[in-house]
Amino acid sequence: MDSVKENVIPTVIIRPVRSVPSELEQCKSLIRTLWLDQHFPQNFLDRVIKAGDSELCHVEEKYLKSPRNHWWVAQLNDNKIVGQVSLRPMSSGGGEDSSRFYKYIDPQDYCELRHLAVLPEYQRQQIGYRLLKASIEFARQNKYKALYVNTMLSMKRACEFYERCGFERAPEIERHELANTKKIKLFNNIDQLTEDDWNEIKNLGETEVKHYYDQSYFMKL
């Protein structure tokens, strides 16, 4: 993380999200923008966007009032929300088996980074870095020992961002069926992906795509 050069943008403020309708709607729009940019089939997009909306509807009790959880936004001077990120214990759901990467760290000491997103027109301005930095500082203050984040192989810029910031890439790749995301095939390393798998990763805009591919990253705190 220290190796990433920070270019401070004074017009952007990183602060906790406010549980007010106008602000939550901007956060929901950020989640929609992130997913729509991936060109998944519409029925899959509808499910994941609905899940993100539901989480924001309960942001106060699940994040702002819950110990060791938090949600931040990046705000311009005109109150426009251009980025966001949230953090929660890994035990809250998702990634529970991820202690396989740091086997000596208790799963309760892992936290999960979620919903890191910056509007396309504000990317490459260190906003994502500043959101991540706020998350890491909060995690250390709350005695977490490891940070976990899950993204997709198709999100190449996200993968490159986490690697630049000092995350370690897990060797395993999870392939999920779009029709049933709990149906998973585990590849022990990226070299096990077939030509058909890579074709799906590269052709997300095509309706015949049936899977997405998860990549996990980890950081010791």
Side-chain angles (χ1 to χ4, degrees), residues 47-71:
R47 293 203 306 272
V48 295
I49 290 172
K50 182 178 180 181
D53 286 355
S54 176
E55 197 162 352
L56 272 162
C57 287
H58 302 92
V59 68
E60 189 157 359
E61 61 229 52
K62 288 187 175 181
Y63 285 92
L64 303 183
K65 291 184 178 179
S66 183
R68 305 181 85 197
N69 298 23
H70 210 60
W71 195 303

Side-chain angles (χ1 to χ4, degrees), residues 53-216:
D53 286 355
S54 176
E55 197 162 352
L56 272 162
C57 287
H58 302 92
V59 68
E60 189 157 359
E61 61 229 52
K62 288 187 175 181
Y63 285 92
L64 303 183
K65 291 184 178 179
S66 183
R68 305 181 85 197
N69 298 23
H70 210 60
W71 195 303
W72 297 263
V73 295
Q75 175 196 303
L76 298 182
N77 287 344
D78 62 0
N79 294 324
K80 180 179 180 179
I81 303 300
V82 298
Q84 67 179 355
V85 68
S86 65
L87 186 132
R88 69 181 186 182
M90 194 173 69
S91 57
S92 296
E96 290 86 348
D97 65 336
S98 301
S99 58
R100 65 180 184 272
F101 197 76
Y102 302 128
K103 296 183 184 299
Y104 54 90
I105 296 180
D106 190 283
Q108 296 298 318
D109 292 326
Y110 272 85
C111 56
E112 180 184 7
L113 193 76
R114 293 172 58 80
H115 304 300
L116 178 56
V118 177
L119 287 175
E121 61 268 34
Y122 293 95
Q123 292 177 7
R124 299 185 181 275
Q125 298 182 50
Q126 298 295 316
I127 296 173
Y129 170 79
R130 292 176 62 189
L131 287 163
L132 176 60
K133 184 178 179 181
S135 304
I136 290 173
E137 290 174 352
F138 178 89
R140 287 173 173 156
Q141 291 169 2
N142 283 272
K143 310 302 181 184
Y144 286 114
K145 296 180 180 178
L147 178 60
Y148 156 83
V149 63
N150 183 265
T151 187
M152 294 185 182
L153 276 180
S154 58
M155 296 181 176
K156 186 177 178 181
R157 288 175 62 181
C159 293
E160 292 173 347
F161 171 77
Y162 292 124
E163 290 175 12
R164 287 199 311 272
C165 289
F167 281 80
E168 299 180 79
R169 181 173 64 86
E172 297 88 354
I173 304 293
E174 291 183 352
R175 187 180 73 188
H176 298 253
E177 290 192 5
L178 290 176
N180 179 5
T181 57
K182 293 183 179 180
K183 193 169 183 179
I184 302 170
K185 179 175 180 178
L186 181 67
F187 298 90
N188 290 325
N189 59 69
I190 200 167
D191 293 332
Q192 292 184 349
L193 295 176
T194 67
E195 184 178 352
D196 288 341
D197 292 317
W198 283 112
N199 284 336
E200 285 206 292
I201 292 168
K202 295 174 183 177
N203 294 287
L204 284 178
E206 303 296 330
T207 56
E208 66 265 20
V209 170
K210 298 179 180 178
H211 306 95
Y212 68 88
Y213 298 76
D214 272 352
Q215 174 69 72
S216 296

